[in-house]
Amino acid sequence: MGITPTRIAIDAMGGDYAPSQIVEGAIQAQETHGVKVLLVGDPQKIKACINHKSNQPLPEIVPAEEIVEMHEEPLTAIRRKSKASINVAMNLVKQKEADAVVSAGHSGAAMASALLRLGRLSGIDRPAIGAVLPTMVPKKPVLILDVGANVDCRPKFLEQFAVMGTIYSEYVLGTTEPKVGLLNIGEEPSKGNDLSVRTHQILQENNQIKFIGNAEGRDVLSGSFDVIVCDGFAGNVLLKFAEAVGDAVLQMMKEELTPGLSGKIGTAILRPNLKRMKQRIDHVEHGGGLLLGVGGICIISHGSSKAIAISNAIRSARDAVENKVIERINSNYVPENHKSIVSNQ
Amino acid sequence: MGITPTRIAIDAMGGDYAPSQIVEGAIQAQETHGVKVLLVGDPQKIKACINHKSNQPLPEIVPAEEIVEMHEEPLTAIRRKSKASINVAMNLVKQKEADAVVSAGHSGAAMASALLRLGRLSGIDRPAIGAVLPTMVPKKPVLILDVGANVDCRPKFLEQFAVMGTIYSEYVLGTTEPKVGLLNIGEEPSKGNDLSVRTHQILQENNQIKFIGNAEGRDVLSGSFDVIVCDGFAGNVLLKFAEAVGDAVLQMMKEELTPGLSGKIGTAILRPNLKRMKQRIDHVEHGGGLLLGVGGICIISHGSSKAIAISNAIRSARDAVENKVIERINSNYVPENHKSIVSNQ
């Protein structure tokens, strides 16, 4: 959009492989995704990671003196360490010096920092974390939210997740009239726990979304749904299970397909096919979680993110910024515009 | 056990492929698992399926005039159709003419029939459905319960699931000192929703089980846990998702591995390896769900069960009977015995 590239602030100090893989991913993204990255953290340590990339334009470094460690209680750490890299990154968005934040550090701390510094959007009671998973239908991912921000939910929270998810799916994932499902244990409206029965009714009455009914566990990856809403407990269990299953399948392929001479020959012949399958399964290919409902774009990547995952997360952040996700969610900002988008559903 | 074989009553009319695949699976089980099967249902239709197997001992047929259809409200149907095949099968166990029931029909109806005819075991507030999934560690399955019987749970229900699951894992799955986990969204005791925080504490204080802490979604298939307890909502979502993922991976292997000449050659060479992997993933190989907490062994198989799944379910039922799972759960029946089993943990 426009003349200046989208500016993404990266918490260079957060994540299992920080800062080296974070820096490498940021540089990759700057080269391939047309963004300007701002690396936030210890300048010495960041510079040590980029010395060898001297023929590329160096990313800008924004100094931050502190780090929120993984064991820290998020809210306390965020309040106490005002100069922590995640806080400095969020401040860049708040001060309009960056358009989005990407962090692979302490996810609770990133959420707390976003809430305190960027605030909630009007009309949103609880921000949610959305995760994009591949489905059985190629190039047709499903957005699941919430995957961990809110363990105990009320029906109206899930309704807000559905509206935010619809906007993200439409404008960032490129879905036409996203089909929304409610995670549940049966197809009928009467099925499920207290939360899901009450939410089903509310979603049916909401004309901002295209609610097509309950989504059972077996439907999540079917490609029949574009957005699936659930409380953060079920969503988190599902997401972590899905990621682990992906890893498990990849490991199982290694264990079961390669033994023996025929295994070695067969897998050698199949290498490109196996690689394509790995790409479909591997969650690293699919960027990070999106914090929806706060006053800025914030991508929360896995702690285990390596360069490629960081680069993909930066691309997602860019897409969300350039497609004005925040403005669209913030119904006080463009209420008429948003209403016209969904009025014919 | 002993001189007379274990007698398994099969609802021959329940399931997508009833009666043909049910009958075939029952005959397979009678041949390979050393059980006596009682096929419950319409004698005409059952006989039509077994005519061609004349060189094998014919299974006994117990006539039942009615069928609970999949769309029926379970409790109403069970009360109204006293001669439904599932009711007749449960009555056989009640009257000690059979030792266990296997059904691939309406699962809610099977549960309602079991509750009404066999009753709850003493000390059990809510029966649970347990499902056995393969893990990343070969021959080390994990038992998850509840996977759908109770959507809204209290901490003491989950505690009872943990005790029943421990007994099933130890005596049917052959686990020494089963490691019990609580499905949750973090490792720390303070993590999770209201139910999981309160349940964590109760499980820690229970000396009948070996509780090793919270199990996150990523831990379910790791092999680190033998029994994982959760409410029926999260468990059902997880189970249906896991089964669908298994199917999805098998389909993806077909789609991604076979295209092209090298794909055809490679998969031909890998056929035995691919088959082994399929067996590890395919849920059909792992029998059915077990209804724990009622006064008899009752295996609830998938509606989509074919002969091999029915035969495996019958084997699970036999193992549960021969290892006295009911007697062991029913603490009023053998309280001292059970206490001695778990006292050194």
Side-chain angles (χ1 to χ4, degrees):
Chain A
M1 57 184 285
I3 299 154
T4 53
T6 299
R7 302 154 305 170
I8 316 283
I10 325 284
D11 178 359
M13 313 311 286
D16 302 346
Y17 303 105
S20 66
Q21 289 290 311
I22 312 295
V23 171
E24 192 177 322
I27 292 172
Q28 275 179 25
Q30 190 158 276
E31 286 168 17
T32 52
H33 301 316
V35 295
K36 174 176 170 53
V37 297
L38 302 161
L39 287 165
V40 183
D42 182 329
Q44 298 289 318
K45 289 184 180 161
I46 294 173
K47 275 180 195 156
C49 302
I50 49 177
N51 278 345
H52 62 289
K53 294 263 178 184
S54 53
N55 60 336
Q56 302 294 341
L58 289 184
E60 192 175 326
I61 298 173
V62 180
E65 291 166 22
E66 295 172 297
I67 299 171
V68 175
E69 306 285 352
M70 288 307 287
H71 65 268
E72 292 188 89
E73 198 283 312
L75 204 58
T76 314
I78 287 303
R79 287 185 198 273
R80 202 165 47 80
K81 294 179 168 177
S82 64
K83 291 175 181 168
S85 51
I86 185 67
N87 278 333
V88 173
M90 291 292 171
N91 279 341
L92 289 174
V93 172
K94 189 180 180 183
Q95 293 150 5
K96 307 220 180 293
E97 290 168 34
D99 302 301
V101 169
V102 169
S103 171
H106 192 313
S107 60
M111 207 166 70
S113 182
L115 266 171
L116 285 178
R117 280 168 174 70
L118 309 179
R120 278 183 289 119
L121 293 177
S122 73
I124 303 300
D125 287 281
R126 298 286 172 87
I129 300 174
V132 178
L133 288 181
T135 71
M136 284 310 296
V137 184
K139 300 186 195 304
K140 198 170 187 321
V142 60
L143 172 66
I144 303 173
L145 69 172
D146 175 31
V147 296
N150 311 282
V151 289
D152 289 301
C153 282
R154 288 155 62 182
K156 71 168 178 175
F157 302 168
L158 269 65
E159 183 185 23
Q160 293 161 9
F161 301 167
V163 173
M164 294 193 290
T166 293
I167 292 169
Y168 189 83
S169 180
E170 185 163 0
Y171 292 100
V172 180
L173 304 178
T175 318
T176 310
E177 290 200 351
K179 297 188 192 76
V180 175
L182 169 66
L183 189 68
N184 208 337
I185 66 167
E187 288 177 12
E188 303 83 356
S190 62
K191 279 288 175 75
N193 56 17
D194 182 56
L195 174 68
S196 51
V197 172
R198 290 193 295 143
T199 304
H200 189 102
Q201 192 178 353
I202 290 184
L203 292 181
Q204 262 182 327
E205 291 164 2
N206 187 316
N207 60 10
Q208 291 182 291
I209 59 169
K210 184 172 181 175
F211 177 57
I212 63 164
N214 291 338
E216 294 185 76
R218 69 167 66 96
D219 304 318
V220 173
L221 302 186
S222 68
S224 308
F225 295 87
D226 302 300
V227 177
I228 293 178
V229 295
C230 54
D231 68 57
F233 188 91
N236 187 276
V237 165
L238 196 64
L239 177 68
K240 285 182 180 160
F241 183 79
E243 291 171 351
V245 165
D247 294 342
V249 168
L250 296 175
Q251 189 190 318
M252 211 181 275
M253 283 170 69
K254 209 180 276 179
E255 284 175 14
E256 298 295 357
L257 298 188
T258 52
L261 182 61
S262 63
K264 281 184 187 60
I265 296 169
T267 49
I269 293 172
L270 283 180
R271 189 157 295 139
N273 305 36
L274 286 166
K275 193 178 169 197
R276 209 163 47 233
M277 183 160 163
K278 181 175 184 301
Q279 283 176 336
R280 273 182 72 177
I281 296 174
D282 199 345
H283 63 80
V284 170
E285 305 283 337
H286 302 279
L290 181 88
L291 184 58
L292 281 169
V294 293
I297 297 296
C298 182
I299 304 277
I300 299 178
S301 291
H302 275 271
S304 63
S305 292
K306 293 195 175 178
I308 178 70
I310 294 297
S311 174
N312 289 343
I314 291 170
R315 188 194 54 210
S316 296
R318 179 204 67 186
D319 292 346
V321 171
E322 297 186 355
N323 290 288
K324 301 186 184 303
V325 164
I326 299 298
E327 292 84 343
R328 293 185 197 279
I329 291 175
N330 196 344
S331 53
N332 281 344
Y333 187 74
V334 280
E336 289 314 309
N337 190 5
H338 179 235
K339 273 175 200 154
S340 72
I341 289 158
V342 291
S343 62
N344 56 352
Q345 287 177 14
Chain B
M1 56 192 303
I3 299 156
T4 52
T6 298
R7 302 155 304 171
I8 317 283
I10 325 284
D11 178 359
M13 312 311 287
D16 304 344
Y17 304 106
S20 67
Q21 289 291 310
I22 312 295
V23 171
E24 192 177 324
I27 292 172
Q28 276 179 24
Q30 190 158 277
E31 285 168 15
T32 52
H33 302 318
V35 295
K36 174 176 169 54
V37 297
L38 302 161
L39 288 165
V40 183
D42 182 329
Q44 299 288 319
K45 290 184 179 160
I46 294 173
K47 275 179 195 158
C49 302
I50 49 178
N51 279 346
H52 62 288
K53 294 261 180 186
S54 53
N55 60 335
Q56 302 293 342
L58 289 184
E60 192 175 326
I61 297 173
V62 180
E65 291 165 22
E66 294 172 297
I67 299 171
V68 175
E69 306 285 351
M70 289 307 287
H71 65 268
E72 292 189 86
E73 199 284 313
L75 204 57
T76 314
I78 286 303
R79 286 186 200 273
R80 202 167 47 80
K81 294 181 169 176
S82 65
K83 290 173 182 169
S85 51
I86 186 66
N87 278 334
V88 173
M90 290 292 171
N91 280 340
L92 289 173
V93 172
K94 190 180 180 185
Q95 293 150 4
K96 307 220 180 295
E97 291 167 32
D99 302 301
V101 169
V102 169
S103 170
H106 192 313
S107 60
M111 207 166 70
S113 181
L115 266 171
L116 286 178
R117 279 168 173 71
L118 309 178
R120 279 183 288 119
L121 293 176
S122 73
I124 304 299
D125 288 281
R126 299 287 171 88
I129 300 173
V132 177
L133 288 181
T135 71
M136 284 311 296
V137 183
K139 299 184 195 306
K140 199 170 186 317
V142 60
L143 173 66
I144 303 174
L145 69 173
D146 175 31
V147 295
N150 312 280
V151 288
D152 289 301
C153 282
R154 289 155 62 183
K156 72 169 178 174
F157 301 168
L158 269 65
E159 183 184 25
Q160 292 161 10
F161 301 167
V163 173
M164 293 193 290
T166 294
I167 292 168
Y168 189 83
S169 180
E170 186 164 359
Y171 292 100
V172 180
L173 304 177
T175 318
T176 311
E177 290 200 352
K179 297 188 192 76
V180 176
L182 169 67
L183 189 67
N184 208 337
I185 65 165
E187 289 177 10
E188 304 83 355
S190 62
K191 279 286 175 75
N193 56 16
D194 183 55
L195 174 68
S196 52
V197 172
R198 290 193 295 145
T199 303
H200 190 102
Q201 192 178 353
I202 290 184
L203 292 180
Q204 263 184 327
E205 290 165 1
N206 187 316
N207 60 11
Q208 290 181 291
I209 59 170
K210 185 172 181 175
F211 177 57
I212 63 165
N214 291 339
E216 294 186 75
R218 69 168 65 97
D219 303 319
V220 172
L221 302 186
S222 68
S224 308
F225 294 87
D226 302 299
V227 177
I228 293 178
V229 295
C230 54
D231 67 57
F233 188 91
N236 187 276
V237 166
L238 197 64
L239 177 67
K240 286 183 181 160
F241 183 80
E243 291 172 350
V245 165
D247 295 342
V249 167
L250 297 175
Q251 189 191 318
M252 209 182 277
M253 282 171 68
K254 209 180 277 180
E255 284 175 15
E256 299 294 358
L257 299 189
T258 52
L261 181 63
S262 64
K264 279 183 188 58
I265 296 169
T267 49
I269 293 171
L270 283 180
R271 190 157 294 139
N273 305 37
L274 286 166
K275 194 179 169 196
R276 209 163 48 232
M277 183 159 162
K278 182 174 184 306
Q279 284 176 336
R280 274 181 72 177
I281 296 174
D282 200 346
H283 62 82
V284 170
E285 305 282 338
H286 301 280
L290 182 87
L291 184 58
L292 282 169
V294 292
I297 297 296
C298 182
I299 304 276
I300 299 177
S301 291
H302 275 271
S304 63
S305 292
K306 293 196 176 176
I308 177 71
I310 295 296
S311 173
N312 288 344
I314 291 171
R315 188 192 56 211
S316 296
R318 178 204 67 186
D319 292 348
V321 171
E322 297 186 356
N323 291 289
K324 300 187 184 303
V325 163
I326 300 296
E327 293 84 341
R328 292 184 200 279
I329 292 175
N330 196 343
S331 53
N332 282 343
Y333 188 74
V334 280
E336 290 313 309
N337 190 3
H338 179 233
K339 274 176 197 154
S340 73
I341 289 159
V342 291
S343 63
N344 57 352
Q345 287 178 13

